mmCIF file of all heavy atoms in Angstrom:
data_model
loop_
_atom_site.group_PDB
_atom_site.id
_atom_site.type_symbol
_atom_site.label_atom_id
_atom_site.label_comp_id
_atom_site.label_asym_id
_atom_site.label_seq_id
_atom_site.Cartn_x
_atom_site.Cartn_y
_atom_site.Cartn_z
ATOM 1 N N GLN A 1 0.852 -1.201 0.000
ATOM 2 C CA GLN A 1 0.004 0.001 -0.006
ATOM 3 C C GLN A 1 0.885 1.247 0.001
ATOM 4 O O GLN A 1 1.880 1.313 0.719
ATOM 5 C CB GLN A 1 -0.904 -0.005 1.227
ATOM 6 C CG GLN A 1 -1.867 1.146 1.295
ATOM 7 C CD GLN A 1 -2.945 0.945 2.362
ATOM 8 O OE1 GLN A 1 -3.432 -0.154 2.614
ATOM 9 N NE2 GLN A 1 -3.308 2.043 3.014
ATOM 10 N N TYR A 36 -7.008 15.460 -3.193
ATOM 11 C CA TYR A 36 -7.983 16.169 -2.383
ATOM 12 C C TYR A 36 -7.243 16.791 -1.203
ATOM 13 O O TYR A 36 -6.273 16.227 -0.697
ATOM 14 C CB TYR A 36 -9.046 15.205 -1.836
ATOM 15 C CG TYR A 36 -10.208 14.897 -2.734
ATOM 16 C CD1 TYR A 36 -10.019 14.396 -4.006
ATOM 17 C CD2 TYR A 36 -11.516 15.086 -2.291
ATOM 18 C CE1 TYR A 36 -11.104 14.099 -4.819
ATOM 19 C CE2 TYR A 36 -12.609 14.788 -3.091
ATOM 20 C CZ TYR A 36 -12.396 14.296 -4.359
ATOM 21 O OH TYR A 36 -13.464 13.998 -5.172
ATOM 22 N N LEU A 38 -8.376 18.253 2.654
ATOM 23 C CA LEU A 38 -9.445 18.386 3.638
ATOM 24 C C LEU A 38 -8.934 19.146 4.853
ATOM 25 O O LEU A 38 -7.767 19.033 5.221
ATOM 26 C CB LEU A 38 -9.948 17.018 4.082
ATOM 27 C CG LEU A 38 -10.574 16.148 2.998
ATOM 28 C CD1 LEU A 38 -9.559 15.229 2.353
ATOM 29 C CD2 LEU A 38 -11.730 15.311 3.573
ATOM 30 N N GLN A 40 -9.680 19.948 8.962
ATOM 31 C CA GLN A 40 -10.392 19.494 10.135
ATOM 32 C C GLN A 40 -9.994 20.351 11.328
ATOM 33 O O GLN A 40 -8.821 20.395 11.711
ATOM 34 C CB GLN A 40 -10.119 18.017 10.439
ATOM 35 C CG GLN A 40 -10.977 17.476 11.582
ATOM 36 C CD GLN A 40 -10.733 16.007 11.854
ATOM 37 O OE1 GLN A 40 -9.634 15.507 11.709
ATOM 38 N NE2 GLN A 40 -11.790 15.293 12.273
ATOM 39 N N VAL A 45 -15.994 17.668 12.033
ATOM 40 C CA VAL A 45 -15.910 16.684 10.959
ATOM 41 C C VAL A 45 -15.003 17.243 9.853
ATOM 42 O O VAL A 45 -15.003 18.447 9.608
ATOM 43 C CB VAL A 45 -17.319 16.417 10.400
ATOM 44 C CG1 VAL A 45 -17.274 15.506 9.195
ATOM 45 C CG2 VAL A 45 -18.202 15.828 11.488
ATOM 46 N N THR A 48 -14.001 19.051 2.934
ATOM 47 C CA THR A 48 -13.177 19.125 1.719
ATOM 48 C C THR A 48 -12.999 20.577 1.294
ATOM 49 O O THR A 48 -13.970 21.332 1.169
ATOM 50 C CB THR A 48 -13.829 18.324 0.576
ATOM 51 O OG1 THR A 48 -13.942 16.956 0.978
ATOM 52 C CG2 THR A 48 -12.979 18.406 -0.688
ATOM 53 N N TYR A 51 -10.641 19.575 -4.482
ATOM 54 C CA TYR A 51 -10.709 18.240 -5.058
ATOM 55 C C TYR A 51 -10.105 18.255 -6.455
ATOM 56 O O TYR A 51 -10.033 19.291 -7.113
ATOM 57 C CB TYR A 51 -12.143 17.708 -5.080
ATOM 58 C CG TYR A 51 -13.086 18.463 -5.987
ATOM 59 C CD1 TYR A 51 -13.311 18.029 -7.297
ATOM 60 C CD2 TYR A 51 -13.769 19.604 -5.553
ATOM 61 C CE1 TYR A 51 -14.167 18.703 -8.131
ATOM 62 C CE2 TYR A 51 -14.624 20.287 -6.384
ATOM 63 C CZ TYR A 51 -14.825 19.840 -7.670
ATOM 64 O OH TYR A 51 -15.681 20.512 -8.509
ATOM 65 N N THR A 60 -15.274 27.180 -0.217
ATOM 66 C CA THR A 60 -13.845 27.266 0.088
ATOM 67 C C THR A 60 -13.366 28.697 -0.086
ATOM 68 O O THR A 60 -13.510 29.245 -1.188
ATOM 69 C CB THR A 60 -13.025 26.335 -0.812
ATOM 70 O OG1 THR A 60 -13.447 24.991 -0.619
ATOM 71 C CG2 THR A 60 -11.531 26.454 -0.515
ATOM 72 N N TYR A 89 -5.435 17.518 5.679
ATOM 73 C CA TYR A 89 -5.122 16.183 5.168
ATOM 74 C C TYR A 89 -5.206 16.173 3.647
ATOM 75 O O TYR A 89 -6.151 16.726 3.060
ATOM 76 C CB TYR A 89 -6.120 15.164 5.703
ATOM 77 C CG TYR A 89 -6.064 14.984 7.208
ATOM 78 C CD1 TYR A 89 -6.906 15.707 8.046
ATOM 79 C CD2 TYR A 89 -5.164 14.087 7.785
ATOM 80 C CE1 TYR A 89 -6.863 15.558 9.414
ATOM 81 C CE2 TYR A 89 -5.105 13.935 9.167
ATOM 82 C CZ TYR A 89 -5.951 14.676 9.964
ATOM 83 O OH TYR A 89 -5.895 14.520 11.340
ATOM 84 N N GLY A 96 -7.881 0.940 -6.899
ATOM 85 C CA GLY A 96 -8.389 0.053 -5.872
ATOM 86 C C GLY A 96 -8.308 0.560 -4.464
ATOM 87 O O GLY A 96 -8.721 -0.147 -3.534
ATOM 88 N N ARG A 98 -7.742 4.293 -1.661
ATOM 89 C CA ARG A 98 -7.501 5.696 -1.401
ATOM 90 C C ARG A 98 -6.558 5.755 -0.207
ATOM 91 O O ARG A 98 -6.596 4.876 0.663
ATOM 92 C CB ARG A 98 -8.804 6.433 -1.051
ATOM 93 C CG ARG A 98 -9.967 6.171 -1.998
ATOM 94 C CD ARG A 98 -9.786 6.828 -3.318
ATOM 95 N NE ARG A 98 -10.960 6.668 -4.187
ATOM 96 C CZ ARG A 98 -11.068 5.762 -5.134
ATOM 97 N NH1 ARG A 98 -10.088 4.904 -5.345
ATOM 98 N NH2 ARG A 98 -12.161 5.708 -5.877
ATOM 99 N N PHE A 100 -4.857 8.480 2.741
ATOM 100 C CA PHE A 100 -4.701 9.791 3.342
ATOM 101 C C PHE A 100 -3.260 10.000 3.769
ATOM 102 O O PHE A 100 -2.563 9.063 4.197
ATOM 103 C CB PHE A 100 -5.578 9.931 4.595
ATOM 104 C CG PHE A 100 -7.047 10.100 4.314
ATOM 105 C CD1 PHE A 100 -7.883 8.997 4.305
ATOM 106 C CD2 PHE A 100 -7.579 11.352 4.074
ATOM 107 C CE1 PHE A 100 -9.239 9.144 4.056
ATOM 108 C CE2 PHE A 100 -8.936 11.512 3.822
ATOM 109 C CZ PHE A 100 -9.774 10.408 3.812
ATOM 110 N N HIS B 35 -17.553 5.061 0.694
ATOM 111 C CA HIS B 35 -16.340 4.748 1.448
ATOM 112 C C HIS B 35 -16.603 4.795 2.953
ATOM 113 O O HIS B 35 -17.495 5.501 3.416
ATOM 114 C CB HIS B 35 -15.256 5.796 1.135
ATOM 115 C CG HIS B 35 -14.894 5.925 -0.304
ATOM 116 N ND1 HIS B 35 -13.724 5.399 -0.814
ATOM 117 C CD2 HIS B 35 -15.535 6.509 -1.350
ATOM 118 C CE1 HIS B 35 -13.669 5.666 -2.105
ATOM 119 N NE2 HIS B 35 -14.756 6.346 -2.459
ATOM 120 N N GLN B 39 -10.935 7.390 12.228
ATOM 121 C CA GLN B 39 -9.970 8.271 12.867
ATOM 122 C C GLN B 39 -9.819 7.828 14.315
ATOM 123 O O GLN B 39 -10.744 7.959 15.116
ATOM 124 C CB GLN B 39 -10.435 9.731 12.798
ATOM 125 C CG GLN B 39 -9.428 10.730 13.299
ATOM 126 C CD GLN B 39 -9.794 12.162 12.960
ATOM 127 O OE1 GLN B 39 -10.980 12.525 12.915
ATOM 128 N NE2 GLN B 39 -8.804 12.984 12.686
ATOM 129 N N GLY B 44 -4.751 10.768 12.789
ATOM 130 C CA GLY B 44 -5.207 11.255 11.496
ATOM 131 C C GLY B 44 -6.291 10.388 10.885
ATOM 132 O O GLY B 44 -6.756 9.398 11.461
ATOM 133 N N LEU B 45 -6.687 10.768 9.678
ATOM 134 C CA LEU B 45 -7.720 10.041 8.951
ATOM 135 C C LEU B 45 -7.110 8.808 8.293
ATOM 136 O O LEU B 45 -5.989 8.843 7.793
ATOM 137 C CB LEU B 45 -8.350 10.940 7.887
ATOM 138 C CG LEU B 45 -9.003 12.223 8.401
ATOM 139 C CD1 LEU B 45 -9.401 13.106 7.213
ATOM 140 C CD2 LEU B 45 -10.213 11.901 9.259
ATOM 141 N N TRP B 47 -8.262 5.743 5.524
ATOM 142 C CA TRP B 47 -9.256 5.136 4.634
ATOM 143 C C TRP B 47 -9.409 3.657 4.987
ATOM 144 O O TRP B 47 -8.417 2.946 5.158
ATOM 145 C CB TRP B 47 -8.783 5.288 3.190
ATOM 146 C CG TRP B 47 -9.695 4.705 2.157
ATOM 147 C CD1 TRP B 47 -10.846 5.254 1.659
ATOM 148 C CD2 TRP B 47 -9.530 3.467 1.467
ATOM 149 N NE1 TRP B 47 -11.393 4.433 0.712
ATOM 150 C CE2 TRP B 47 -10.601 3.327 0.572
ATOM 151 C CE3 TRP B 47 -8.573 2.447 1.518
ATOM 152 C CZ2 TRP B 47 -10.760 2.234 -0.260
ATOM 153 C CZ3 TRP B 47 -8.709 1.346 0.693
ATOM 154 C CH2 TRP B 47 -9.797 1.249 -0.183
ATOM 155 N N ASP B 61 -13.030 -2.900 -1.996
ATOM 156 C CA ASP B 61 -11.599 -2.845 -1.724
ATOM 157 C C ASP B 61 -11.410 -2.403 -0.283
ATOM 158 O O ASP B 61 -12.224 -1.613 0.235
ATOM 159 C CB ASP B 61 -10.882 -1.879 -2.666
ATOM 160 C CG ASP B 61 -10.659 -2.455 -4.043
ATOM 161 O OD1 ASP B 61 -9.960 -3.499 -4.124
ATOM 162 O OD2 ASP B 61 -11.190 -1.901 -5.013
ATOM 163 N N ALA B 64 -5.133 -2.500 4.071
ATOM 164 C CA ALA B 64 -4.451 -3.698 4.566
ATOM 165 C C ALA B 64 -4.806 -4.051 6.012
ATOM 166 O O ALA B 64 -5.009 -5.221 6.326
ATOM 167 C CB ALA B 64 -2.934 -3.531 4.405
ATOM 168 N N LEU B 101 -16.601 10.642 -0.691
ATOM 169 C CA LEU B 101 -15.283 11.102 -1.160
ATOM 170 C C LEU B 101 -15.394 11.597 -2.595
ATOM 171 O O LEU B 101 -14.549 11.342 -3.450
ATOM 172 C CB LEU B 101 -14.240 10.000 -1.061
ATOM 173 C CG LEU B 101 -13.789 9.627 0.358
ATOM 174 C CD1 LEU B 101 -12.661 8.607 0.312
ATOM 175 C CD2 LEU B 101 -13.380 10.843 1.157
ATOM 176 N N HIS B 103 -15.935 15.041 -4.736
ATOM 177 C CA HIS B 103 -15.962 16.499 -4.843
ATOM 178 C C HIS B 103 -16.137 17.122 -3.466
ATOM 179 O O HIS B 103 -15.415 16.787 -2.523
ATOM 180 C CB HIS B 103 -17.037 16.921 -5.821
ATOM 181 C CG HIS B 103 -16.724 16.488 -7.233
ATOM 182 N ND1 HIS B 103 -17.497 16.829 -8.324
ATOM 183 C CD2 HIS B 103 -15.729 15.736 -7.740
ATOM 184 C CE1 HIS B 103 -16.966 16.305 -9.411
ATOM 185 N NE2 HIS B 103 -15.904 15.653 -9.092
ATOM 186 N N MET B 104 -17.102 18.014 -3.294
ATOM 187 C CA MET B 104 -17.218 18.773 -2.059
ATOM 188 C C MET B 104 -18.270 18.178 -1.122
ATOM 189 O O MET B 104 -18.658 18.821 -0.155
ATOM 190 C CB MET B 104 -17.577 20.226 -2.362
ATOM 191 C CG MET B 104 -16.624 20.929 -3.304
ATOM 192 S SD MET B 104 -14.978 21.179 -2.602
ATOM 193 C CE MET B 104 -15.325 22.382 -1.333
ATOM 194 N N TRP B 107 -19.298 15.216 4.923
ATOM 195 C CA TRP B 107 -19.211 13.934 5.632
ATOM 196 C C TRP B 107 -20.289 13.869 6.706
ATOM 197 O O TRP B 107 -20.830 14.880 7.129
ATOM 198 C CB TRP B 107 -17.853 13.814 6.300
ATOM 199 C CG TRP B 107 -16.683 13.672 5.383
ATOM 200 C CD1 TRP B 107 -16.541 14.203 4.126
ATOM 201 C CD2 TRP B 107 -15.495 12.963 5.650
ATOM 202 N NE1 TRP B 107 -15.328 13.862 3.611
ATOM 203 C CE2 TRP B 107 -14.650 13.087 4.510
ATOM 204 C CE3 TRP B 107 -15.024 12.225 6.739
ATOM 205 C CZ2 TRP B 107 -13.382 12.495 4.443
ATOM 206 C CZ3 TRP B 107 -13.773 11.635 6.674
ATOM 207 C CH2 TRP B 107 -12.960 11.784 5.532
ATOM 208 N N GLY B 108 -20.572 12.652 7.155
ATOM 209 C CA GLY B 108 -21.457 12.499 8.297
ATOM 210 C C GLY B 108 -20.733 12.870 9.579
ATOM 211 O O GLY B 108 -19.550 13.184 9.578
#
Side-chain angles (χ1 to χ4, degrees):
Chain A
Q1 183 168 324
Y36 275 55
L38 297 92
Q40 186 178 33
V45 175
T48 300
Y51 66 94
T60 300
Y89 296 94
R98 312 288 185 261
F100 285 94
Chain B
H35 302 256
Q39 187 168 34
L45 300 172
W47 180 79
D61 282 299
L101 289 185
H103 294 185
M104 304 293 291
W107 292 32

